[in-house]
Amino acid sequence: QVQLVESGGGLIQAGGSLRLSCAASGLTFSSYAMGWFRQAPGKERDFVAGFSWNDPYYADSVKGRFFIGRDNAKNLVYLGMSSLKPEDTAVYYCAAAPRPASPFQRLNFRSEYRYWGQGTQVTVSS
């Protein structure tokens, strides 16, 4: 069965950097778009970053601070986070969706993703 396992979360001071990893198994990784979402307490699960074909895309709130990368050979997707702010505090989830037919299509919505990890907590202190 498909498994997505996130790691790398923790407690970090504002302005610091952190890198999350997501290890995927049970799927043909290169055939899937990968994304990161986050959910703060009492809030919706929001899109953070995605990588469908060759170009990554980001939510406006993290653009310029976060970086998504993927290693198809290792079935890994990463989320590099820098200049962290207290409002970045959330549980971060890795997600996988069948790759869209068009390389220009971006998958920004939770409903577009089929598989989810269990999440990893990121807490940014002020």
Side-chain angles (χ1 to χ4, degrees):
Q1 82 251 26
V2 175
Q3 279 194 314
L4 302 176
V5 181
E6 302 95 336
S7 60
L11 175 63
I12 187 87
Q13 283 194 326
S17 299
L18 208 57
R19 190 175 86 157
L20 306 182
S21 298
C22 172
S25 60
L27 76 172
T28 305
F29 187 72
S30 59
S31 298
Y32 279 78
M34 300 300 296
W36 286 95
F37 286 71
R38 66 185 181 186
Q39 188 167 17
K43 295 193 175 182
E44 296 289 318
R45 190 174 298 187
D46 293 330
F47 171 79
V48 174
F51 206 136
S52 299
W53 282 90
N54 298 318
D55 299 317
Y57 42 96
Y58 302 91
D60 287 344
S61 59
V62 306
K63 206 171 289 184
R65 299 189 299 122
F66 287 16
F67 168 80
I68 184 172
R70 63 187 294 165
D71 186 334
N72 286 343
K74 296 181 179 179
N75 286 13
L76 291 172
V77 61
Y78 305 99
L79 184 68
M81 305 182 293
S82 61
S83 302
L84 282 162
K85 306 174 183 180
E87 50 263 43
D88 294 318
T89 294
V91 177
Y92 283 71
Y93 296 90
C94 171
R99 236 175 189 172
S102 167
F104 304 107
Q105 184 177 350
R106 297 183 172 191
L107 306 181
N108 299 337
F109 297 99
R110 182 176 175 179
S111 59
E112 295 176 305
Y113 288 81
R114 182 177 295 178
Y115 302 109
W116 292 85
Q118 81 291 348
T120 186
Q121 176 70 46
V122 173
T123 303
V124 184
S125 63
S126 57

